[in-house]
Amino acid sequence: MMSSEEGWSVRQEGDEPVSPTGQYFNSSAMSVCVLSAFESEVPIDDSPTMDVLRNLFLPVNPRFSSIMVEDKKGEKTWRRVTVNLEDHVNIPVFPSGLTVEAYHKCTQDYLTKIGTEMMRQDRPLWEIHIIKYPTLTGEGTLVFKLHHALGDGFTLYSALFSCIKRADDPSLPFTFPSRTDGKKRELSLWEKAARSLSVGINTGLEFGWSLIKGEDDRSPIRSGDPGVEFRPVVISSLILPLEKLREIKIKVGGTINDVITGIIFLGLQLYVQKENDQSVAFNSTALVLLNTRVVNTYQSLQEIMKPNGKSPWGNQFGFLHVPLPKSYDPERVKPLDFVRQAKKTIARKKNSLAVFLNGMLLETIRKMKGSEVAAKYVHGTLRDTTLTISNMVGPLEKLEIAGHKCRSYYFMVVGVPQSLTITMLSYMGKLRVTFGTEKDFINEQRLVSCMEKAFDMMYQEARDYK
């Protein structure tokens, strides 16, 4: 933290308060960042970088030109500072003359390196890394490292999209897949009463369970070691066609999220089975990120920054605790059963107010004991579970950054006290599933292979299903 000679910063006029969640994510308990990587179709020309950052990126929000400071009372605020752009731009140099496969490995190692490094607190909490070497998935990679204290995925991507244009027609806005299946029918009075009763019961059960839930078992996907958030993370991914995911969805109903969650659960079971010689079924829990905003798609920066808008800037999300299904031999279980179970479990948990009660509990802890204690509570919630699953919706059209058409892009959350983080991002009819795995603990290649097998098993059963 930036401080005065007395060890604390004196609050100044113009300082803006840091949101509670922003304080949790940048505290003594944890420091959580987001890596957002854009893979270019052409070699990267870094000459427009400074102009784009100065004229498009910095004006998006004052937080990109601010540092977080703390006063004597422990209250944290954002303070505007002069930004030296050269401090935020990094262009790594790799050995020359390597193969594409070798440069792909160099890029993976570089992402592991920057994912482990702590961000300096005496400058605004963002960086850009321009990797000018080809990989198996692009001719170059542009990486934004953004501290999660700046905002959640919704607002951070809305900010990035202000610097990005449609490749086919820059004058047109991006379009995004709809998350709804049309208008919902009006419920009868009895149906409303039954739903209210169901919400009440589910809320009590889910909130109570979240309070008494213990620590997950150590397993092939959870080391459970202290300080796992400081260990290197290997980033790997696979791409699934949304068209085939929709075919599976039609067979079992539900949503694309239900389908991909089922695939992830089956893939994890296959991986655990390969890594576990004793055929033990572990108690494992996934934290599924839930957007608590009242909107379902990206909005313009004008809408986000509007006072009292529906989608204000900041962190607005909660976690659903979803237990992973247990199976001693997942290959003998019908793959689509994993989707049905995921659909049933997530629907029940969404049909409750436990997420909001947990938020109220956290706010009570913050008011009574301070943000650092609340941050430790959040850290403990993450530490005691096995993995986090987060998803974002990307545009249907190809995007372009400063003249560079984007072949694909993905994001990963780093600094989380878990051995495994899974993120999903749709783009141009495909779904990029990305895995952040604890280095030298989880075999990332085997994990990706198990996920591919889970998808193939599920798609084949869906095609044979009558």
Side-chain angles (χ1 to χ4, degrees):
M1 299 290 179
M2 183 179 179
S3 60
S4 66
E5 294 180 359
E6 292 79 13
W8 300 96
S9 174
V10 178
R11 191 161 185 171
Q12 298 179 3
E13 184 179 355
D15 287 0
E16 296 183 4
V18 180
S19 68
T21 306
Q23 297 186 49
Y24 307 153
F25 281 149
N26 190 29
S27 64
S28 62
M30 57 182 173
S31 180
V32 182
C33 296
V34 179
L35 300 181
S36 183
F38 296 84
E39 296 169 329
S40 176
E41 288 188 349
V42 297
I44 293 181
D45 172 16
D46 64 318
S47 59
T49 302
M50 296 303 177
D51 285 340
V52 171
L53 292 176
R54 184 179 297 106
N55 299 321
L56 295 179
F57 182 71
L58 290 184
V60 166
N61 191 280
R63 294 186 191 181
F64 295 134
S65 302
S66 303
I67 62 173
M68 190 181 294
V69 297
E70 183 176 353
D71 63 20
K72 294 181 179 180
K73 296 180 180 179
E75 295 295 325
K76 297 178 181 179
T77 58
W78 294 107
R79 177 168 300 168
R80 295 291 293 268
V81 295
T82 300
V83 181
N84 183 5
L85 290 177
E86 287 76 10
D87 291 339
H88 297 263
V89 179
N90 304 273
I91 305 177
V93 177
F94 299 157
S96 60
L98 301 183
T99 63
V100 173
E101 290 78 8
Y103 280 129
H104 186 89
K105 180 64 168 57
C106 287
T107 299
Q108 280 190 311
D109 292 343
Y110 184 78
L111 293 178
T112 295
K113 173 180 173 290
I114 66 174
T116 308
E117 294 173 344
M118 298 290 290
M119 299 196 80
R120 290 181 53 168
Q121 297 291 322
D122 60 348
R123 61 177 62 158
L125 299 174
W126 61 271
E127 301 170 355
I128 183 172
H129 300 262
I130 304 173
I131 305 174
K132 301 168 67 174
Y133 299 91
T135 66
L136 297 174
T137 48
E139 295 301 313
T141 308
L142 178 66
V143 183
F144 284 88
K145 182 177 181 181
L146 306 166
H147 203 290
H148 224 318
L150 295 170
D152 56 19
F154 190 97
T155 48
L156 292 180
Y157 265 109
S158 291
L160 292 180
F161 275 115
S162 70
C163 309
I164 298 172
K165 304 297 182 182
R166 277 178 56 162
D168 59 340
D169 189 342
S171 66
L172 295 177
F174 287 106
T175 58
F176 298 87
S178 173
R179 292 189 177 186
T180 60
D181 297 321
K183 294 182 179 180
K184 297 181 179 179
R185 69 178 181 85
E186 184 70 22
L187 298 178
S188 67
L189 182 62
W190 288 109
E191 287 174 321
K192 291 180 180 178
R195 173 166 292 188
S196 297
L197 179 61
S198 174
V199 169
I201 294 174
N202 289 337
T203 298
L205 291 174
E206 297 300 333
F207 183 62
W209 181 76
S210 67
L211 291 178
I212 65 174
K213 177 194 170 298
E215 182 179 353
D216 281 0
D217 294 335
R218 290 176 179 252
S219 70
I221 55 176
R222 180 178 185 269
S223 68
D225 294 338
V228 67
E229 63 267 37
F230 302 114
R231 296 185 177 180
V233 172
V234 179
I235 298 176
S236 54
S237 63
L238 76 156
I239 297 177
L240 302 176
L242 281 171
E243 182 178 338
K244 291 186 177 180
L245 293 175
R246 292 190 184 98
E247 289 184 46
I248 301 174
K249 167 192 159 185
I250 292 173
K251 297 294 184 180
V252 296
T255 65
I256 292 291
N257 281 343
D258 295 332
V259 173
I260 189 59
T261 302
I263 292 173
I264 288 173
F265 285 176
L266 174 56
L268 292 176
Q269 289 292 313
L270 293 172
Y271 177 82
V272 168
Q273 182 192 39
K274 289 182 179 294
E275 297 290 315
N276 173 36
D277 296 332
Q278 299 178 347
S279 298
V280 176
F282 300 96
N283 290 314
S284 302
T285 309
L287 287 178
V288 178
L289 205 65
L290 178 68
N291 178 18
T292 57
R293 299 172 185 273
V294 295
V295 295
N296 291 316
T297 188
Y298 295 102
Q299 293 183 300
S300 66
L301 287 172
Q302 290 79 10
E303 181 64 27
I304 292 176
M305 301 301 293
K306 184 186 300 182
N308 302 319
K310 293 182 178 180
S311 178
W313 189 280
N315 286 283
Q316 296 190 44
F317 60 86
F319 290 108
L320 294 177
H321 287 78
V322 180
L324 271 64
K326 298 178 182 180
S327 175
Y328 292 95
D329 189 355
E331 297 201 46
R332 292 182 178 272
V333 179
K334 291 184 178 180
L336 291 182
D337 286 345
F338 281 84
V339 178
R340 296 186 182 98
Q341 185 170 349
K343 172 186 173 183
K344 181 179 178 181
T345 302
I346 293 176
R348 184 182 71 249
K349 291 179 176 291
K350 280 187 175 181
N351 192 33
S352 81
L353 301 176
V355 169
F356 301 99
L357 288 183
N358 280 316
M360 293 172 62
L361 173 63
L362 190 60
E363 179 64 10
T364 300
I365 294 174
R366 185 186 71 84
K367 289 182 176 179
M368 294 181 63
K369 298 185 177 182
S371 61
E372 288 292 325
V373 174
K376 291 179 181 178
Y377 181 86
V378 175
H379 180 274
T381 299
L382 292 164
R383 181 197 60 221
D384 291 345
T385 53
T386 298
L387 74 149
T388 296
I389 301 176
S390 176
N391 75 293
M392 297 287 293
V393 177
L396 296 173
E397 301 83 16
K398 180 171 293 189
L399 57 84
E400 184 175 290
I401 305 176
H404 299 79
K405 293 182 178 179
C406 181
R407 181 176 297 169
S408 183
Y409 73 108
Y410 59 91
F411 72 99
M412 177 51 57
V413 182
V414 293
V416 179
Q418 294 171 324
S419 299
L420 175 62
T421 300
I422 301 177
T423 65
M424 296 169 284
L425 182 65
S426 64
Y427 177 54
M428 294 181 61
K430 296 179 180 179
L431 184 73
R432 183 81 171 254
V433 186
T434 305
F435 308 91
T437 54
E438 182 182 342
K439 188 176 182 180
D440 298 328
F441 176 70
I442 293 178
N443 185 325
E444 72 278 1
Q445 294 180 344
R446 183 172 295 171
L447 178 63
V448 171
S449 176
C450 288
M451 290 295 170
E452 291 174 335
K453 182 175 182 180
F455 168 73
D456 291 338
M457 291 170 60
M458 203 163 287
Y459 182 66
Q460 187 59 49
E461 185 186 353
R463 295 193 66 181
D464 296 341
Y465 183 79
K466 296 181 180 180

